[in-house]
Amino acid sequence: MGFSTLNLNQNLIKAITQQGYQEPTPIQLEAIPAILNQQDVMAGAQTGTGKTAAFALPILHQLASAPERQGKLRALVLTPTRELAQQVAKSFESYGQYCDLTMTIAYGGISIKNQVDALKAGVDILVATPGRLLDHLVKGTISLDDIEHLVFDEADRMLDMGFIIDIKRILKRMPEQRQTMLFSATFDDAIFNLSKTLLNDPILIEVNDRNTAASQVQQTIYCVDSDRKRELTSYLIGSRNWQQVLIFTRTKQGCDALAKEMCKDGIKTQSIHGDKSQGARERALSEFKEGKIRALVATDVAARGIDIDQLQYVINYELPYIAEDYIHRIGRTGRAGSSGIAISLLSSEENYLLEAVESVLDTRIAQEWIPGFEPDLNKVFDNKNNSNSAQKKRANDRAFGGNNKSRRRR
Ligand code: AMP
């Protein structure tokens, strides 16, 4: 079923046709008619499903249908990170290129002056992070009195990042009579509680089972000792000739250290995390997209919202402390129908983190060893505080007997 059945205006159809979109994705098929119908929406959609167009297209359609209100700030999209804000703004710009609407973006880390000038000139759509939006509200450089459409994009992450107080303050400054849309990759009690205060009789849309990873991503775990992870990472990338690999670490220091070591291994790598300037993050990201660097090491927060067409490989150098982050991480690949590979490097200390991930996914992920990088079972058992040597020997035989290929454990 093509886009023509969705009753979107011709300027939007022209823009998305130019983007090469032929069919609406499942979330677009469900969300666009509901949003055009002025309903509130609560959508469980992970990144890569086409969720941005699912809210951007019907919002643009509604704004373009009321030219007499042009120049009033009528649509606000809140995102947890600058990168996602940029991504969403870019989508609005490209989908809305033939509509006579203006938009701007407001996030921290860059000068507020240009944003103030843009807002003064009058805009229809604003994409913002909560902190910077509050700065504008406090300074009086923005008014939310005319907001008709409000979107929370990646609401789960906004709550994880502690934005709830900011969100409540922002909500007080906008009309109660409005359309509200909440998009979240994962759902827990905090999201449901937020949704109750935000949404009015919402339509619930779920395109994938909640809390499941994108089905087109092939997930594998390589068991390895933590002190050999860097070597294994470089080996995988080099021996399999992977290009454009996004690697996740838990800490900013770990992120920098890994990127440095991988450069020494001959793999052009850069790191992005919250301590890097906005300019440095943007430069690293565009070099990665252009293929000038082969690997990008990122922390969870910095990587949010990164949208790279055809990104095929994600490596979880360390498993995340928050199990839901695993879903966000692997959602960077396998986007909009393309296939992806997500590798997690698991040291024995991380077994409890894997259990949490598997419980959120409600599935088990195959574990393998790469020959030459087999974990030292003495360490594994030391970690488990188990000194039973017969058990060790049985496990050793199971793990390392047989041929020389990588081996499945489950
Ligand atoms: P999102 O989930 O919004 O981050 O979108 C993921 C990717 O899917 C982006 O690169 C979009 O350009 C692309 N996309 C969105 N909708 C469609 C569609 N109907 N057909 C093909 N690609 C799409």
Side-chain angles (χ1 to χ4, degrees), residues 11-31:
N11 288 329
L12 295 171
I13 298 288
K14 185 172 161 188
I16 54 178
T17 307
Q18 272 179 13
Q19 293 274 310
Y21 298 2
Q22 289 171 350
E23 301 278 327
T25 63
I27 180 110
Q28 291 162 3
L29 266 182
E30 289 203 51

Side-chain angles (χ1 to χ4, degrees), residues 91-133:
S91 300
F92 266 96
E93 257 163 22
S94 79
Y95 303 144
Q97 62 184 298
Y98 301 112
C99 300
D100 204 6
L101 295 166
T102 47
M103 59 152 301
T104 196
I105 186 164
Y107 51 78
I110 50 168
S111 145
I112 201 164
K113 183 169 177 315
N114 291 350
Q115 296 168 10
V116 172
D117 292 345
L119 288 165
K120 256 196 210 148
V123 292
D124 302 284
I125 304 155
L126 174 68
V127 183
T129 51
R132 179 51 66 98
L133 178 59

Side-chain angles (χ1 to χ4, degrees), residues 243-245 263 267-272 283-297:
Q243 306 296 327
Q244 264 198 340
V245 187
C263 284
I267 295 170
K268 277 194 182 162
T269 308
Q270 284 195 27
S271 58
I272 55 168
R283 255 193 322 279
L285 191 55
S286 68
E287 286 186 11
F288 184 58
K289 284 183 178 179
E290 288 162 19
K292 288 186 187 156
I293 54 170
R294 193 162 167 190
L296 188 66
V297 189

